[in-house]
Amino acid sequence: MGGTCVIRGCVPKKMLVYGAHFAEDLEDALSFGWSVEGKSFDWVKLRDHVQSDITRLEGLYTQTLENHDVTVFKERARITGEHEITLESGRTVTAAHILIATGARPHVPMCEGSEHIITSNEAFHLDEVPRRVLILGGGYIANEFAGIFNQFGGKVTLANRSDTILRSYDEALRDRLLQISLTKGIEFLFNTRFEYIRRRDDGALDVKLDGHDERVFDVVMAATGRIANTEGLGLEEVGVELGERGEVKVDEYSKTNVDHIYAVGDVTDRVQLTPVAIREGHAFADTVFGKNGPVKVDHSCIPSAVFSHPPIAAVGMTEGEARNTLGNVKVYQADFRPMKHVVAGRSERGLYKMVVDAANDRVVGLHMIGPESPEIMQMAAVAVKAGLTKADFDATMAIHPTMAEELVLFK
Ligand code: NDP
């Protein structure tokens, strides 16, 4: 109980990100007067600790349902009639409304030997940190796991089909992450695809990427997007319309083309983020069972973050999008070395960027890379969502010394 986010996604990933950061924190501690004798890292200990916490959380989710009198059938289900679901055991259940929230699963590219490819699902259960790992993809999962494995001592190679990482983020931040990742020893291969993967007798994998010589890796992981889980649900039989990528098509109230069947979350492939799915679920409940009429989810101006090393956070339009849609924009940038890094002798710099509509001074985009940027962005996003202006940011007094003060000091 808990789905991708709790069991094999955001939550265990964030725990690994915390664990990974100690690699640098323990190094930096020396500059702050601490000496850490005999430091070492035990992957199995962290992995098992994370899994036991996931088990605890899973229990809490189950408990919440039980406390609210929810009947749970732990079986595969298929829609077999207008208002009817048939369970694997043969039992049928009827309902006035049906909500599909079956999520998505990792897409794995096909090639000779693609059965040797793991995904983020398996990454949480590895026996050891791979000494040499190849990650295919350049999106959220690829960059987050590249940072994690790298900090734990693995040699990471990231290969993508295009020449871009994190395509939807502002170019300046993408460039900065690439530059910092290279400095940390992560290798990038662009414009490439798998030709084959062959398992050697010793368990290692010979990998051929087009345009490259064959190379050997211990683990090959795909992070090439996710596919909606719609197969075998009986949707075609009851006439629920699917999109090109197999996702359930819904209207702004998350209703499918069948009146009493709704769908929320990743299975609809709108915005594949947990908080968005939660909002969609809430809006469904309000629409169908609430007293105040139908409720829509506003999918505009959604803040997001990549828990890479260092993390990225963003809300609103990138500079490129703003120039395309608004024409006349002003861009403010702060390129700084966080105080903690200065003391630690770490050269890594943060970058904050504000995009402003020149016509009315409204802040239409904020983009950040640097320590704790997702934490800072959550609050800054309130201001952007509320439509505040650069002058409103300027009128707010700084908290000194912080990194976040850069947001009110843009010149
Ligand atoms: P992303 O969509 O972020 O990235 C997919 C990457 O794989 C891109 O670099 C893309 O290349 C490449 N790609 C896409 N399709 C193929 C294909 N058929 N063959 C080869 N390469 C391909 O997906 P992820 O798997 O990283 O993450 C899945 C979803 O999970 C995301 O949509 C994200 O919203 C969510 N997520 C969110 C997180 C967060 O909020 N921090 C963390 C982890 C996941 P190209 O360069 O062409 O785009």
Side-chain angles (χ1 to χ4, degrees):
M1 207 62 74
T4 300
C5 175
V6 178
I7 310 290
R8 63 191 87 83
C10 329
V11 175
K13 180 274 310 285
K14 186 72 185 280
M15 292 177 189
L16 294 187
V17 168
Y18 278 130
H21 217 278
F22 279 96
E24 288 179 359
D25 290 343
L26 290 175
E27 252 175 40
D28 294 352
L30 283 173
S31 306
F32 292 88
W34 296 88
S35 44
V36 187
E37 305 295 332
K39 67 177 168 148
S40 65
F41 171 66
D42 184 340
W43 160 255
V44 171
K45 202 170 185 175
L46 174 63
R47 180 199 68 188
D48 293 352
H49 196 56
V50 167
Q51 287 309 314
S52 67
D53 209 54
I54 297 308
T55 306
R56 179 185 67 82
L57 285 170
E58 207 267 343
L60 290 177
Y61 275 77
T62 306
Q63 215 176 59
T64 305
L65 294 179
E66 284 168 357
N67 291 345
H68 291 83
D69 245 354
V70 174
T71 310
V72 177
F73 300 102
K74 294 196 169 172
E75 291 178 59
R76 282 201 73 82
R78 187 181 172 83
I79 304 176
T80 44
E82 271 281 281
H83 293 271
E84 182 192 80
I85 287 171
T86 302
L87 303 175
E88 210 163 25
S89 58
R91 177 173 177 174
T92 59
V93 184
T94 57
H97 304 279
I98 296 172
L99 175 69
I100 303 161
T102 48
R105 64 178 184 282
H107 159 262
V108 178
M110 291 308 290
C111 70
E112 178 193 331
S114 54
E115 69 275 13
H116 301 306
I117 301 176
I118 69 159
T119 67
S120 51
N121 288 354
E122 292 76 40
F124 296 107
H125 302 280
L126 293 171
D127 291 332
E128 55 195 5
V129 174
R131 210 156 47 83
R132 299 156 298 189
V133 57
L134 173 67
I135 303 178
L136 192 71
Y140 284 85
I141 297 179
N143 281 284
E144 292 181 342
F145 273 93
I148 289 168
F149 288 137
N150 177 256
Q151 298 288 321
F152 289 150
K155 170 73 191 136
V156 179
T157 303
L158 192 148
N160 198 22
R161 63 175 178 183
S162 68
D163 61 358
T164 311
I165 57 166
L166 295 165
R167 162 182 311 287
S168 62
Y169 284 88
D170 190 274
E171 200 175 339
L173 272 74
R174 289 192 259 134
D175 284 351
R176 182 57 56 91
L177 179 63
L178 182 62
Q179 187 195 327
I180 294 174
S181 301
L182 285 166
T183 310
K184 289 186 195 292
I186 297 172
E187 180 191 19
F188 289 82
L189 307 175
F190 290 121
N191 300 311
T192 187
R193 286 165 195 265
F194 284 126
E195 282 182 13
Y196 62 77
I197 302 168
R198 293 177 185 151
R199 170 90 64 197
R200 292 179 173 192
D201 292 342
D202 66 359
L205 300 162
D206 286 325
V207 181
K208 175 80 174 74
L209 291 160
D210 63 358
H212 295 268
D213 288 344
E214 187 184 89
R215 288 179 54 180
V216 60
F217 293 95
D218 301 298
V219 165
V220 176
M221 174 172 151
T224 47
R226 298 176 64 87
I227 309 170
N229 286 324
T230 47
E231 297 89 349
L233 296 179
L235 300 179
E236 295 84 352
E237 284 103 293
V238 285
V240 170
E241 202 183 326
L242 301 182
E244 269 173 24
R245 293 174 309 280
E247 77 279 14
V248 178
K249 286 178 82 169
V250 289
D251 68 11
E252 52 198 344
Y253 299 104
S254 295
K255 190 157 74 70
T256 70
N257 57 314
V258 179
D259 242 1
H260 58 280
I261 303 182
Y262 290 72
V264 294
D266 288 4
V267 77
T268 63
D269 199 15
R270 285 175 282 184
V271 182
Q272 292 185 335
L273 296 173
T274 299
V276 177
I278 292 171
R279 282 282 167 99
E280 289 167 359
H282 204 147
F284 156 77
D286 286 340
T287 298
V288 175
F289 303 107
K291 293 184 182 64
N292 300 321
V295 175
K296 291 183 207 171
V297 172
D298 177 3
H299 286 98
S300 69
C301 211
I302 296 173
S304 66
V306 188
F307 293 95
S308 42
H309 282 79
I312 282 179
V315 68
M317 289 189 238
T318 62
E319 181 182 344
E321 286 165 351
R323 289 196 189 285
N324 284 348
T325 48
L326 305 173
N328 199 4
V329 299
K330 286 186 184 158
V331 175
Y332 300 88
Q333 213 160 283
D335 190 335
F336 62 98
R337 206 168 152 212
M339 182 197 273
K340 197 173 159 216
H341 288 177
V342 175
V343 179
R346 192 172 281 286
S347 58
E348 199 174 302
R349 299 179 71 84
L351 181 68
Y352 291 1
K353 197 166 161 177
M354 179 183 268
V355 183
V356 177
D357 184 345
N360 53 20
D361 197 39
R362 216 161 66 86
V363 178
V364 293
L366 272 182
H367 310 276
M368 306 161 69
I369 179 167
E372 310 299 346
S373 54
E375 300 286 348
I376 300 166
M377 183 57 80
Q378 180 66 81
M379 288 317 298
V382 176
V384 178
K385 179 79 181 156
L388 299 191
T389 59
K390 165 83 165 53
D392 291 318
F393 275 75
D394 293 346
T396 306
M397 203 63 84
I399 300 175
H400 185 71
T402 61
M403 293 176 287
E405 67 181 315
E406 300 294 341
L407 293 175
V408 296
L409 298 174
F410 281 122
K411 289 282 176 296

